[in-house]
Amino acid sequence: MRLPSIATIVFFSTIVDAAFDYNKGGASLKAPSSESFTSVTGTFTVPSLTGTNRLSIWLGIADSSSQNYVIGGGIVFNKTLGTFAAFFPESSIDTTARVPVVANDSIVVTASLTSANTGTVVIENKTQNKTIEQTVAAPTTADPSALTALYADWWVQGYQVIPGELLTTPKFGTITFTGVGATLASGKQVDATGAGKYELQGTSGQVFTQTTISGNQIVVKQQ
């Protein structure tokens, strides 16, 4: 399975308390001053997806709001459903053979850093009782000082085949991340309180999602 890139363009609204993104909706939590993240987790149910439009549901730890380096994983729909792990911008690792998914499966994803440039992504299909712990590594060309792990993210992401084209997504209804949490380098565990919410918006200006954040739950509703 060919996994899409997570390249993104973000722009902020001065009218509502949200940011709009050309391909992602969800939440992003910034670490407190002088802190960074060592792990992030969340659980979601796989929606029923059909058609040729692409979508992924995933979570991860990012270096910045620009998402230049991200360790993460989750599920992707590209005509068929699959699972993946990655340390972007390195290519995604297709983990579907070990952890397949179908609609209504309950998926738990935990992304963890074991060092500044390596980590593990654990994908558990609780419905099928299958789990993988995939080791991932940052690009060898990455500047170590840029691997800062300052953001924990939970995303529902659509994809354009050609950059700048009108974004379309399959019907996914409502995606609810539960058991949302992250661990700081100090050992403190936090939920999504204080995270910034993002709405998926196409280049036509149409807003595709409505996101709500409440403690250890993030809801991304298609509209």
Side-chain angles (χ1 to χ4, degrees):
M1 175 183 293
R2 183 177 175 81
L3 300 177
S5 164
I6 63 165
T8 182
I9 300 173
V10 180
F11 57 101
F12 293 86
S13 169
T14 57
I15 301 174
V16 296
D17 184 22
F20 296 102
D21 188 291
Y22 281 158
N23 65 357
K24 297 197 302 291
S28 184
L29 179 66
K30 186 178 181 180
S33 178
S34 301
E35 277 276 25
S36 61
F37 290 105
T38 57
S39 71
V40 60
T41 191
T43 301
F44 59 88
T45 299
V46 180
S48 179
L49 302 171
T50 60
T52 57
N53 297 324
R54 297 179 292 179
L55 190 81
S56 66
I57 305 167
W58 62 281
L59 56 85
I61 299 172
D63 64 311
S64 67
S65 59
S66 299
Q67 309 275 302
N68 295 310
Y69 298 103
V70 187
I71 177 176
I75 73 159
V76 62
F77 175 74
N78 186 7
K79 297 182 181 179
T80 59
L81 281 163
T83 58
F84 73 94
F87 203 135
F88 297 105
E90 284 287 358
S91 298
S92 302
I93 299 169
D94 188 345
T95 57
T96 310
R98 292 279 301 278
V99 185
V101 286
V102 296
N104 299 315
D105 282 352
S106 177
I107 306 298
V108 184
V109 181
T110 302
S112 304
L113 286 168
T114 53
S115 70
N117 62 351
T118 59
T120 60
V121 178
V122 177
I123 304 171
E124 178 184 4
N125 187 327
K126 296 183 71 67
T127 305
Q128 297 190 33
N129 194 30
K130 294 183 178 181
T131 303
I132 187 171
E133 181 174 331
Q134 179 67 53
T135 299
V136 292
T140 56
T141 56
D143 178 356
S145 66
L147 303 174
T148 52
L150 295 180
Y151 286 79
D153 303 317
W154 299 264
W155 298 122
V156 176
Q157 180 171 357
Y159 298 91
Q160 299 137 321
V161 176
I162 302 171
E165 73 176 346
L166 176 64
L167 177 69
T168 55
T169 63
K171 293 182 179 179
F172 59 83
T174 299
I175 306 298
T176 302
F177 293 93
T178 60
V180 167
T183 303
L184 296 167
S186 63
K188 181 180 179 179
Q189 295 184 341
V190 297
D191 59 22
T193 300
K197 67 178 182 179
Y198 284 69
E199 306 298 0
L200 194 161
Q201 181 171 358
T203 54
S204 66
Q206 180 181 357
V207 178
F208 290 90
T209 60
Q210 181 179 15
T211 301
T212 57
I213 302 168
S214 177
N216 64 356
Q217 179 173 285
I218 298 166
V219 179
V220 183
K221 182 178 180 180
Q222 191 173 29
Q223 61 176 14

